[in-house]
Amino acid sequence: MTLIWLLVLLLGIALIAHYRVSPVPALAIVAVYLALMGAADGTPVWLMVVLWLVLLVVAIPILLADVRIKYFSGPMFDWFKKVLPPISDTERDAIEAGSVWWDGELFSGRPNWDTLLGYPRAKLTEEEQAFLDGPTETLCAMVSEWDISQRMDLPPQAWEYIKAQGFFALIIPKEYGGKGFSAYAHSQIVMKLATRSGDLASTVMVPNSLGPAELLMHYGTDEQRNHYLPRLANGTEVPCFALTGPYAGSDAGAMNDSGVICTGLWQGEEVLGLRLNWEKRYITLGPIATLLGVAFKTYDPDHLLGDEEELGISLALIPTETAGVEIGRRHLPLGAAFMNGPNWGKDVFVPLEAIIGGREMIGKGWMMLMNCLSVGRSISLPATGTSAAKVCSFVSGRYANIREQFNVPLAAFEGIQEPLARIGGNAWLMDSARILTAHAVDLGEKPSVLSAILKYHLTERGRRCITDAMDIHGGKGIILGPNNYLGRLWLSAPISITVEGANILSRNLMIFGQGAIRCHPFVLREMELVQEPDRDAAVARFDELLMQHIGFAVGNTASTLVLGISFGLLGKAPGTAITRPYFRALNRLAAAFAMLADLSMMLLGGELKRRERLSARLGDVLSHLYLASAALKHYHDLGHPTEQEPLLRWALEDCLCKAEEALQGTLSNFPNRALGCLLHLVVFPFGARHTGPSDALDAQVAEILGRHEGDPALEQILEGTYRPQDAEEPLGALSHAFDTLAATQPLARKLHKAIKSGELRITANEDPIQAAAEAGIVSEEEAMQLRNAESARRQVIDVDDFGKEELELQAGRVR
């Protein structure tokens, strides 16, 4: 009976913490229970004494604030101040950049799903849809990937059309001559262009993401906006932005580009300005830019502006025709044709008015970049990553049904179904995350942590889709030429992995490293209090936050255990019979993540940012919780379509499996191994619950990719892609062959049956279709249909070849 009393006590305390009961009522409930327990027969006196002493030790600091501050909160404040690592200005700007949105709910350990599901569905306006269906479709039709790769440039008519139709002005407000489109429309347009040509998409997306227009809109002076935005909108100015240099990539603080405050001549007058020296590389649109945005460190050695000499990173806009500006030759990023190259400047003088935002924004350049990057990174690269998955879904689903081995379509083999499922499942999941995050921007958010999640995971999943598609296509995928629709995707995949923060950096340092401070409900405020000069006031406020933080941590620990042993049934979960179990699973994992994030920060402190693999695993948990949230939101917004249930289940099973793997990796490598083993029992009381999509589920998703265009589930995967219908186009030939072979499938079965049964006997070199026609098994008209179908199949599976002269000409073009 004593054991039962103790077990009920422990479970009761866990439930009290799980339901977040306030401290005083919670203490009262425990005290009443202890009184009843003590009155029961057989309870040892010594046990009751121990339990009452434990309750007293917990109650005194909770009830007596002065005692708590003197003996607990004050020493904790001093310890926290001692172990807190120094934070550089660039780190602080990165941490404070953007806004906290759904990532904050996940960090809370108790996400409010009604909030997520209550956000309106992302929709295009009539004007945005018309632009997507009209100019965007037209621009796609004006180019071909192979032609671009051969000329190493877009055709002249495409450049003219881009400028004339305002593709460089998607985000510029209408009052300045721009389109004023939403972030969602921007994402849709870039994604569609990317399904036609990565070079085309890169050309359009850069001016609309991190570039002069975005910076001017948020931080420019009225004079700067009125002058530059109309010129950027109509294509008079072609912009680029120069940040990366030979010694400063992801670590912008390491740049040695400088701007020294001085006086000089500008347009015949002596004015206060900057003498700039810089060297930049990897600058997209740099070779053809007329307006250069440049980042540099600002110095005032003569104290012309004030007492400080080092003023921080600033940003300036410089016409490329300015004396001293040099535009170098082109880079060739893995043979991609989009304009990219170096530039530099030697003693370039510009007035202070060239600084974006004017004098007031001197030294605030890194903050400006971080805030703008949190928006741009939410749109451009997720759109291109998703486009790769969609293209791979379309071509792999068609090709696996067109190409046969052993007289059986590739799609019938389970070994092919596995990568097909990964491609289709990832395409649907990535699209869900892309749409949700772009829509968050339209809701007024600047999701810096979520943008890092999307940048990493959507480019990595896109790369995996390309790899799977290449495996399915075999030789068809590796022979470059006009008919290869995968080769350029394969070659350019590492580019998106590298730009806007290398993926290794994003995963190991940014997602959790930034999110742990930015999204946690208490840590950033506690860190800020450490900087307060008035210790007594700071300790009093710190005490209040600390008590809330402890309650938060205890509650998440209890929720992890309670939801684990109850299979999530004691957590609030919306949805249908299909989605509710997934909401419950996410509740449990969110609580476990919040608990481990707190413990990791407490045990490691500043050391955590050097434990990159631990930080990366915690970031993986957060990332897959977000991706799963996006999938559930997308399915909800679509109206719970039954035909897309396999896609939802594949996405959730994949995310939950990867989240659990990351949690297990975290616990197995926890700094305190004994604590890690104990926490493993709390997080996984019955072991891991999710092992990834089953073979049967893989087969269902793979089958969707083999359906005819117009099927609702397939169309949702392919939504937003450019699909040419001309049978002379590589993608058009795929569609034509797929439809033609499907239409003649009964005839093909009839022919195969006749051969197999011995009704039709053919010699080694005899045409079976002609033999069947002569034997009367098929009519001449049916024979012609079969020949046309085989001709269409052959057009798809054939690859390109070149003569020596053609290759020499191509080599000359590259040189």
Side-chain angles (χ1 to χ4, degrees):
M1 285 301 297
T2 300
L3 288 175
I4 294 175
W5 278 101
L6 283 174
L7 181 60
V8 172
L9 174 64
L10 293 174
L11 288 175
I13 291 173
L15 287 170
I16 287 171
H18 168 63
Y19 286 113
R20 309 297 202 265
V21 178
S22 300
V24 174
L27 291 171
I29 293 170
V30 174
V32 170
Y33 184 85
L34 290 181
L36 293 173
M37 183 177 174
D41 293 335
T43 306
V45 175
W46 68 266
L47 178 60
M48 293 308 305
V49 171
V50 171
L51 292 175
W52 279 107
L53 284 175
V54 171
L55 180 62
L56 191 63
V57 169
V58 173
I60 288 176
I62 290 177
L63 299 175
L64 302 177
D66 292 340
V67 174
R68 182 178 67 244
I69 291 174
K70 182 176 181 180
Y71 294 103
F72 181 66
S73 301
M76 282 292 293
F77 178 85
D78 295 333
W79 172 83
F80 190 57
K81 188 171 185 177
K82 182 179 179 181
V83 302
L84 186 69
I87 301 176
S88 67
D89 291 338
T90 54
E91 286 180 311
R92 180 174 295 278
D93 285 339
I95 289 170
E96 295 177 352
S99 59
V100 177
W101 189 56
W102 186 247
D103 41 348
E105 286 284 334
L106 295 174
F107 253 97
S108 76
R110 183 165 290 196
N112 186 336
W113 298 110
D114 290 335
T115 298
L116 178 67
L117 300 181
Y119 289 118
R121 179 181 177 181
K123 291 183 179 179
L124 298 174
T125 65
E126 290 185 7
E127 181 184 3
E128 291 169 342
Q129 187 64 59
F131 189 86
L132 197 65
D133 295 338
T136 307
E137 187 86 4
T138 300
L139 180 57
C140 287
M142 293 174 70
V143 303
S144 83
E145 188 80 337
W146 180 251
D147 176 67
I148 292 173
S149 71
Q150 295 306 289
R151 68 169 68 232
M152 292 305 295
D153 195 1
L154 301 179
Q157 63 269 28
W159 279 110
E160 294 172 6
Y161 194 78
I162 286 170
K163 294 177 181 180
Q165 295 296 320
F167 279 91
F168 283 167
L170 301 178
I171 64 171
I172 295 176
K174 290 185 176 181
E175 57 263 35
Y176 297 104
K179 297 295 182 183
F181 283 170
S182 65
Y184 176 51
H186 177 193
S187 177
Q188 290 290 105
I189 292 165
V190 170
M191 184 181 70
K192 188 166 193 173
L193 295 176
T195 62
R196 181 55 161 176
S197 165
D199 296 310
L200 178 63
S202 296
T203 300
V204 169
M205 77 184 189
V206 168
N208 288 291
S209 53
L210 180 59
E214 179 84 8
L215 291 163
L216 284 169
M217 286 161 51
H218 289 94
Y219 302 108
T221 64
D222 288 340
E223 183 179 358
Q224 289 171 339
R225 284 194 287 262
N226 290 332
H227 175 74
Y228 282 118
L229 288 179
R231 296 171 63 84
L232 289 167
N234 62 27
T236 302
E237 301 281 9
V238 177
C240 72
F241 191 85
L243 174 62
T244 302
Y247 299 104
S250 300
D251 180 13
M255 73 170 67
N256 52 18
D257 308 300
S258 64
V260 177
I261 306 294
C262 62
T263 58
L265 288 177
W266 180 257
Q267 296 179 350
E269 295 183 19
E270 186 172 289
V271 298
L272 192 61
L274 293 155
R275 185 175 67 253
L276 295 167
N277 288 275
W278 76 87
E279 182 184 4
K280 304 290 187 178
R281 63 179 181 179
Y282 308 153
I283 310 307
T284 300
L285 293 186
I288 60 167
T290 62
L291 183 63
L292 170 67
V294 63
F296 53 89
K297 288 183 176 178
T298 317
Y299 301 93
D300 186 12
D302 297 329
H303 303 285
L304 298 176
L305 296 180
D307 295 331
E308 295 185 25
E309 291 190 9
E310 297 185 9
L311 305 182
I313 295 174
S314 300
L315 312 178
L317 286 181
I318 305 170
T320 54
E321 62 185 14
T322 304
V325 175
E326 297 289 341
I327 301 298
R329 299 190 299 174
R330 286 180 63 181
H331 297 313
L332 294 180
L334 291 175
F338 65 88
M339 291 292 170
N340 189 275
N343 63 72
W344 59 91
K346 177 67 174 176
D347 292 331
V348 177
F349 181 81
V350 295
L352 289 185
E353 286 69 28
I355 294 174
I356 299 177
R359 299 188 185 192
E360 293 182 2
M361 301 309 290
I362 292 176
K364 297 180 181 179
W366 188 241
M367 175 275 296
M368 297 158 64
L369 287 172
M370 288 296 96
N371 278 293
C372 288
L373 190 62
S374 68
V375 174
R377 197 164 48 192
S378 302
I379 300 167
S380 298
L381 291 175
T384 57
T386 304
S387 75
K390 286 175 176 277
V391 169
C392 290
S393 295
F394 178 74
V395 300
S396 299
R398 309 294 93 176
Y399 188 79
N401 281 275
I402 292 168
R403 185 75 166 95
E404 293 184 348
Q405 292 281 14
F406 314 111
N407 293 318
V408 177
L410 295 180
F413 293 92
E414 287 190 355
I416 297 296
Q417 290 170 6
E418 182 182 3
L420 279 174
R422 276 198 301 267
I423 294 170
N426 272 316
W428 191 89
L429 173 61
M430 293 164 67
D431 209 27
S432 302
R434 176 190 68 86
I435 292 170
L436 178 62
T437 312
H439 191 45
V441 174
D442 289 328
L443 294 173
E445 302 293 338
K446 294 183 177 181
S448 55
V449 175
L450 297 182
S451 70
I453 289 174
L454 255 67
K455 193 277 173 182
Y456 173 75
H457 285 278
L458 267 60
T459 56
E460 288 291 348
R461 285 177 181 262
R463 175 159 67 171
R464 181 56 192 267
C465 288
I466 296 168
T467 300
D468 282 333
M470 290 291 284
D471 287 348
I472 292 168
H473 281 74
K476 169 70 175 179
I478 65 173
I479 305 299
L480 285 175
N483 291 307
N484 187 328
Y485 41 71
L486 281 177
R488 305 303 300 182
L489 275 177
W490 170 267
L491 289 172
S492 62
I495 298 174
S496 60
I497 303 301
T498 302
V499 299
E500 292 191 19
N503 275 9
I504 291 177
L505 170 81
S506 297
R507 176 174 180 260
N508 288 271
L509 293 178
M510 292 183 64
I511 295 174
F512 182 77
Q514 182 180 359
I517 298 174
R518 188 72 177 93
C519 301
H520 195 285
F522 304 108
V523 168
L524 183 58
R525 289 185 287 168
E526 290 167 343
M527 291 174 64
E528 290 170 343
L529 282 173
V530 169
Q531 311 301 323
E532 289 288 333
D534 186 342
R535 181 186 180 279
D536 291 339
V539 168
R541 179 66 182 130
F542 182 81
D543 171 71
E544 181 182 342
L545 284 176
L546 184 61
M547 293 306 293
Q548 296 176 28
H549 193 157
I550 291 172
F552 170 81
V554 171
N556 282 323
T557 303
S559 293
T560 301
L561 179 61
V562 168
L563 295 175
I565 61 179
S566 70
F567 294 92
L569 294 176
L570 294 180
K572 184 179 179 182
T576 65
I578 299 299
T579 60
R580 197 173 298 116
Y582 290 122
F583 281 115
R584 288 176 176 149
L586 290 174
N587 282 336
R588 178 177 67 87
L589 295 181
F593 165 73
M595 175 190 70
L596 289 177
D598 254 332
L599 285 172
S600 298
M601 287 187 283
M602 182 182 72
L603 291 175
L604 293 173
E607 182 69 18
L608 181 58
K609 70 178 182 180
R610 286 180 287 276
R611 296 290 296 272
E612 295 176 14
R613 298 190 69 183
L614 183 65
S615 178
R617 292 186 183 99
L618 289 168
D620 287 345
V621 181
L622 175 64
S623 298
H624 289 106
L625 290 176
Y626 179 67
L627 294 177
S629 301
L632 287 165
K633 168 65 171 169
H634 189 47
Y635 191 70
H636 169 82
D637 287 348
L638 292 173
H640 303 89
T642 55
E643 75 277 358
Q644 292 182 47
E645 181 187 322
L647 297 168
L648 171 77
R649 289 170 48 225
W650 191 97
L652 267 295
E653 293 296 339
D654 182 73
C655 288
L656 292 171
C657 174
K658 286 182 169 60
E660 288 191 345
E661 287 176 352
L663 282 171
Q664 289 179 316
T666 301
L667 294 169
S668 298
N669 294 275
F670 212 61
N672 186 312
R673 298 303 298 272
L675 181 58
C677 293
L678 178 62
L679 290 172
H680 196 282
L681 295 175
V682 175
V683 177
F684 297 105
F686 304 117
R689 311 279 177 83
H690 299 275
T691 58
S694 66
D695 293 351
L697 184 55
D698 274 353
Q700 291 179 51
V701 174
E703 186 270 334
I704 291 174
L705 296 192
R707 295 178 186 174
H708 289 278
E709 293 181 66
D711 174 83
L714 178 62
E715 286 301 321
Q716 190 59 51
I717 294 174
L718 303 181
E719 190 275 329
T721 59
Y722 175 72
R723 285 175 269 172
Q725 299 303 308
D726 185 352
E728 297 304 312
E729 288 259 9
L731 296 188
L734 265 178
S735 294
H736 175 66
F738 181 84
D739 293 339
T740 303
L741 287 165
T744 57
Q745 194 176 62
L747 293 176
R749 281 200 297 263
K750 182 178 179 181
L751 176 59
H752 181 69
K753 183 179 179 181
I755 295 172
K756 189 174 182 181
S757 66
E759 180 184 356
L760 178 64
R761 298 181 182 275
I762 56 175
T763 61
N765 296 318
E766 190 175 5
D767 178 10
I769 297 176
Q770 182 61 34
E774 292 174 355
I777 295 173
V778 297
S779 67
E780 283 297 332
E781 181 181 353
E782 291 173 331
M784 182 59 68
Q785 292 174 6
L786 286 169
R787 291 191 188 96
N788 290 338
E790 288 305 314
S791 175
R793 188 203 307 271
R794 184 60 187 266
Q795 183 179 353
V796 166
I797 65 177
D798 276 350
V799 296
D800 298 287
D801 50 58
F802 302 91
K804 180 180 178 181
E805 298 79 8
E806 293 174 288
L807 294 176
E808 288 176 347
L809 177 61
Q810 181 181 344
R813 285 172 175 167
V814 173
R815 286 196 296 269

